[in-house]
Amino acid sequence: MASIGKLNRHQARTAYLFITPTMLLFLAFTIVPVVMALYLSFTNYDVVSRMDFVGIDNYKRLIDDALFWQTFKNVCYYAVIFIPLNILISLLLALLLNFKRFGVKLFRTMNYLPTLTSAVAAATVWIWLLHPEFGLINNLLSYFGVIGPAWLAQTETAMFSIIMVTLWQSVGSNMVIYIAGLQGVPDYLYESAKLDGATALDRFRYITWPQLRPTTFLVSTMSIIGALQLFDQAFVLTQGGPGNVTKTPVYLIYQQGFNQLQMGYASAQAFILAIAILIFSFINMRATKSEESIV
Amino acid sequence: MKKWISLAALATVVVATASGCGSNSNDNGNTSATNANNSASTNGGTEASSSEPVELTFWGDWGGEGQKQFETMVDAFNKSQDKIRVKYVLQQDMITKFLTAATSGGSPDILFWDRWRTSLYAPKNVLHPVDEFMAKDGLNKDDFYGEALKELSYQDKLYGLPLTVDARALFYNKKILTDAGVNQPPTTWDELEQAAIKTTKWNGNKLEVAGFSLGDNGLFNMYLQQAGGQMMSEDGTKTNFNNDQGKAVLEYWDRMLNQDKVYKVGFEQGLGEGTDAFVTGKLAMQYTGPWMLSTYKKYGKDLDFGIVPPPAGPNGDKGSVMGGFGLVIPEGSKHQAEAWEFIKWWTANKDNALLWAKTSLNIPGFKPALEDPFFKDDPFWKPFLDTLEFAKIRPAHPGYSVMEGDALIPNLQLFQQSKQSLEDTLKKAQQRGDQLLNDNAEVK
């Protein structure tokens, strides 16, 4: 800091002045609640009558809470299928809709539309479409002589149905991000590759995909966070059933905190979830190595 | 990009908090208003001499039709006297708001209360006992449904009065039953099974008419009572269904679902009003409560249905689960005596309880009101009143609903889909259930 000149120091001061409101809000609404939650996770806080320090009791209880770990298994299963499909489908859509052709904007808009609907409203409509006897999906299947399952009520298909519905809702926004990424790839790379005789597949393999690394990193990170925090679709579509196969950590945290008033225990669960998200995001960062510059 | 996301996240947080603050400040506004009135009334003397009426805030989470029904009652009360003014405030997510209000002031004076919550909240001293008021006004506890009072009690203290009582009974579609040659509605498990088999229609692999709804696993409690069992042990600390009675229920379900095939898992899922399987003639019989009456009556002749009390189990035991709402006074209320006047007027007066019944089509918890022809002579109400004679409340354990929702029902679902044997189902539900009861037992 000492080597910075006077002008720089002045600029720095102005800059701090400008970011102060944001930082204050960040402090009040993010830092303080997080620290509070960490403290509460070591208490038996119940909102109304008590807040005694209980040491690591909540975390001890967590270890034996089979259901909590099952919800983690559930969201991991969800993530393993959801994230690759999410990247694949939104990238394919983006590649398809990246051309400047007549009407392409219409298709982009249509693909984006599901993202704009409320998660709960869309899930309610999907319950209908997935109904075993009167639903559109099973009716279509019956034309091909296939008897569709009770999608949301059977243990085998319940999570899969949720994956499909959330995919339908999220590929639109990721497609937009990918289109932006695609348009940021410099044309001269493609031109020179073409001159060197690279096929379309080669160009994708050696230019597009590496160039899109930061975009993929963004999309995959957001998907990981979204997957671990899955709640509303699962809640509306299946209420965590059948047989707990679609119950998620956030659902448990909500129930423990607000229905059972065990805010301390819920905070402990929330912290474990936050740490899990941190770990998976870190692994993802390593895997995509976004920090390395590409060109 | 990252910056954008954090900005967007921040914006969401700010907006969410701002809206939260908005509603809070409203609540505070209400309280300060009531406070002002409070001091005014104490200055002028608490009795009739006060010119300014005491203003009470009544919180409930019924909107739409329910809100209108509440307001009808509130208006009637306000007109009946000039000392107390009650105002109904609709609170979405009422319980969460009540939690903050209970600790930070701004508590309402009267709270619309889902009774089963009492065992969780009463030990935390956020509700005010009403025993003294009861004694002072000489109200007779026998005028109310005993089970409903039990549900509003904790350690020999009563925390409110029942506003509604309900229990499930068997709804049957008369036309479907007659067409299938069933002339009498079932009164026992065997008759129910036979009637269900006769009314079920399959078209290949497609279920067209389900004989009997087995969609709600939460009704296990009811079946267990019919089989002669109880959900919880005598001392109220452990589950009590991993035994012959529990086995009887699951065998019955398994027979109906997987051998007789009178139902299909997921058959009714997502069917709302208007597409209700019972309304559309796709379901012959089901257990449901008085809350469906107004919906079904709307269809008039298109839906010819009858109601009978739940069929008895193999040993003649009857069983149904009583639920319903009450009115309670929060400990944080500054006008508990006035709040009691309102509750007494509404729930412990024959005429007003009846007005409420006719307005909302609910069964009031005050028995004298049920003597009225409105209930006595109505073929739809009679079976419910009969059912309420033997219906039992859910066990009053603060962890009961979690035990049911997280331990019992998931295992029952696995059993219904033949993913788990009967023995495993009961054993796992018991182990997990006892653990959850234990984890959630301590509420003080």
Side-chain angles (χ1 to χ4, degrees), chain A residues 44-58:
Chain A
N44 63 2
Y45 183 53
D46 74 343
V47 192
V48 270
S49 63
R50 61 179 190 198
M51 195 165 95
D52 312 317
F53 195 76
V54 294
I56 56 164
D57 280 7
N58 287 329

mmCIF file of all heavy atoms in Angstrom, chain A residues 44-58:
data_model
loop_
_atom_site.group_PDB
_atom_site.id
_atom_site.type_symbol
_atom_site.label_atom_id
_atom_site.label_comp_id
_atom_site.label_asym_id
_atom_site.label_seq_id
_atom_site.Cartn_x
_atom_site.Cartn_y
_atom_site.Cartn_z
ATOM 1 N N ASN A 44 -29.390 -24.688 22.217
ATOM 2 C CA ASN A 44 -30.682 -25.358 22.029
ATOM 3 C C ASN A 44 -31.771 -24.321 21.732
ATOM 4 O O ASN A 44 -32.909 -24.467 22.155
ATOM 5 C CB ASN A 44 -31.037 -26.192 23.256
ATOM 6 C CG ASN A 44 -31.212 -25.340 24.508
ATOM 7 O OD1 ASN A 44 -31.098 -24.116 24.447
ATOM 8 N ND2 ASN A 44 -31.486 -25.977 25.620
ATOM 9 N N TYR A 45 -31.424 -23.298 21.019
ATOM 10 C CA TYR A 45 -32.334 -22.182 20.701
ATOM 11 C C TYR A 45 -33.659 -22.686 20.130
ATOM 12 O O TYR A 45 -33.676 -23.552 19.264
ATOM 13 C CB TYR A 45 -31.636 -21.274 19.685
ATOM 14 C CG TYR A 45 -32.408 -20.045 19.299
ATOM 15 C CD1 TYR A 45 -32.891 -19.173 20.258
ATOM 16 C CD2 TYR A 45 -32.623 -19.737 17.953
ATOM 17 C CE1 TYR A 45 -33.578 -18.033 19.895
ATOM 18 C CE2 TYR A 45 -33.298 -18.595 17.579
ATOM 19 C CZ TYR A 45 -33.776 -17.749 18.556
ATOM 20 O OH TYR A 45 -34.452 -16.624 18.190
ATOM 21 N N ASP A 46 -34.769 -22.168 20.632
ATOM 22 C CA ASP A 46 -36.083 -22.583 20.126
ATOM 23 C C ASP A 46 -36.951 -21.380 19.739
ATOM 24 O O ASP A 46 -38.169 -21.489 19.697
ATOM 25 C CB ASP A 46 -36.811 -23.443 21.148
ATOM 26 C CG ASP A 46 -37.352 -22.625 22.312
ATOM 27 O OD1 ASP A 46 -36.896 -21.491 22.482
ATOM 28 O OD2 ASP A 46 -38.214 -23.124 23.037
ATOM 29 N N VAL A 47 -36.365 -20.234 19.515
ATOM 30 C CA VAL A 47 -37.027 -18.993 19.120
ATOM 31 C C VAL A 47 -37.751 -18.316 20.281
ATOM 32 O O VAL A 47 -37.652 -17.118 20.456
ATOM 33 C CB VAL A 47 -38.042 -19.167 17.964
ATOM 34 C CG1 VAL A 47 -38.450 -17.812 17.432
ATOM 35 C CG2 VAL A 47 -37.451 -20.002 16.854
ATOM 36 N N VAL A 48 -38.499 -19.088 21.102
ATOM 37 C CA VAL A 48 -39.300 -18.423 22.121
ATOM 38 C C VAL A 48 -38.721 -18.427 23.532
ATOM 39 O O VAL A 48 -38.685 -17.403 24.187
ATOM 40 C CB VAL A 48 -40.738 -18.993 22.177
ATOM 41 C CG1 VAL A 48 -41.624 -18.237 21.254
ATOM 42 C CG2 VAL A 48 -40.753 -20.454 21.866
ATOM 43 N N SER A 49 -38.274 -19.586 24.005
ATOM 44 C CA SER A 49 -38.029 -19.604 25.451
ATOM 45 C C SER A 49 -36.596 -19.904 25.886
ATOM 46 O O SER A 49 -36.267 -19.740 27.042
ATOM 47 C CB SER A 49 -38.972 -20.603 26.122
ATOM 48 O OG SER A 49 -38.714 -21.906 25.651
ATOM 49 N N ARG A 50 -35.742 -20.375 25.023
ATOM 50 C CA ARG A 50 -34.438 -20.772 25.560
ATOM 51 C C ARG A 50 -33.330 -20.573 24.526
ATOM 52 O O ARG A 50 -33.572 -20.589 23.319
ATOM 53 C CB ARG A 50 -34.474 -22.230 26.002
ATOM 54 C CG ARG A 50 -34.777 -23.108 24.821
ATOM 55 C CD ARG A 50 -34.812 -24.570 25.133
ATOM 56 N NE ARG A 50 -34.887 -25.269 23.837
ATOM 57 C CZ ARG A 50 -35.271 -26.516 23.683
ATOM 58 N NH1 ARG A 50 -35.626 -27.237 24.715
ATOM 59 N NH2 ARG A 50 -35.305 -27.061 22.492
ATOM 60 N N MET A 51 -32.109 -20.385 25.011
ATOM 61 C CA MET A 51 -30.944 -20.306 24.143
ATOM 62 C C MET A 51 -29.724 -20.622 24.994
ATOM 63 O O MET A 51 -28.923 -19.765 25.307
ATOM 64 C CB MET A 51 -30.825 -18.919 23.514
ATOM 65 C CG MET A 51 -29.860 -18.874 22.351
ATOM 66 S SD MET A 51 -30.052 -17.385 21.368
ATOM 67 C CE MET A 51 -28.829 -16.335 22.085
ATOM 68 N N ASP A 52 -29.600 -21.868 25.400
ATOM 69 C CA ASP A 52 -28.477 -22.267 26.253
ATOM 70 C C ASP A 52 -27.409 -22.941 25.417
ATOM 71 O O ASP A 52 -27.705 -23.659 24.464
ATOM 72 C CB ASP A 52 -28.945 -23.256 27.332
ATOM 73 C CG ASP A 52 -30.197 -22.758 28.019
ATOM 74 O OD1 ASP A 52 -30.241 -21.546 28.318
ATOM 75 O OD2 ASP A 52 -31.127 -23.560 28.224
ATOM 76 N N PHE A 53 -26.178 -22.719 25.838
ATOM 77 C CA PHE A 53 -25.059 -23.335 25.138
ATOM 78 C C PHE A 53 -25.044 -24.833 25.451
ATOM 79 O O PHE A 53 -25.102 -25.234 26.606
ATOM 80 C CB PHE A 53 -23.764 -22.677 25.592
ATOM 81 C CG PHE A 53 -22.609 -22.975 24.705
ATOM 82 C CD1 PHE A 53 -22.485 -22.347 23.474
ATOM 83 C CD2 PHE A 53 -21.645 -23.903 25.078
ATOM 84 C CE1 PHE A 53 -21.419 -22.626 22.647
ATOM 85 C CE2 PHE A 53 -20.590 -24.188 24.245
ATOM 86 C CZ PHE A 53 -20.473 -23.548 23.023
ATOM 87 N N VAL A 54 -25.017 -25.648 24.397
ATOM 88 C CA VAL A 54 -25.033 -27.091 24.646
ATOM 89 C C VAL A 54 -23.807 -27.776 24.055
ATOM 90 O O VAL A 54 -23.776 -28.994 23.917
ATOM 91 C CB VAL A 54 -26.306 -27.760 24.080
ATOM 92 C CG1 VAL A 54 -27.528 -27.271 24.810
ATOM 93 C CG2 VAL A 54 -26.431 -27.524 22.590
ATOM 94 N N GLY A 55 -22.784 -26.989 23.694
ATOM 95 C CA GLY A 55 -21.574 -27.601 23.136
ATOM 96 C C GLY A 55 -21.863 -28.269 21.798
ATOM 97 O O GLY A 55 -22.639 -27.751 21.000
ATOM 98 N N ILE A 56 -21.275 -29.432 21.595
ATOM 99 C CA ILE A 56 -21.423 -30.061 20.281
ATOM 100 C C ILE A 56 -22.547 -31.096 20.261
ATOM 101 O O ILE A 56 -22.602 -31.962 19.391
ATOM 102 C CB ILE A 56 -20.103 -30.715 19.810
ATOM 103 C CG1 ILE A 56 -19.613 -31.717 20.849
ATOM 104 C CG2 ILE A 56 -19.046 -29.663 19.522
ATOM 105 C CD1 ILE A 56 -18.561 -32.663 20.308
ATOM 106 N N ASP A 57 -23.486 -30.991 21.187
ATOM 107 C CA ASP A 57 -24.595 -31.955 21.243
ATOM 108 C C ASP A 57 -25.339 -32.070 19.923
ATOM 109 O O ASP A 57 -25.666 -33.165 19.469
ATOM 110 C CB ASP A 57 -25.595 -31.543 22.339
ATOM 111 C CG ASP A 57 -25.104 -31.964 23.708
ATOM 112 O OD1 ASP A 57 -23.943 -32.431 23.781
ATOM 113 O OD2 ASP A 57 -25.866 -31.815 24.675
ATOM 114 N N ASN A 58 -25.617 -30.908 19.313
ATOM 115 C CA ASN A 58 -26.368 -30.931 18.057
ATOM 116 C C ASN A 58 -25.627 -31.710 16.991
ATOM 117 O O ASN A 58 -26.229 -32.450 16.210
ATOM 118 C CB ASN A 58 -26.601 -29.499 17.560
ATOM 119 C CG ASN A 58 -27.641 -28.787 18.394
ATOM 120 O OD1 ASN A 58 -28.550 -29.423 18.905
ATOM 121 N ND2 ASN A 58 -27.479 -27.478 18.536
#
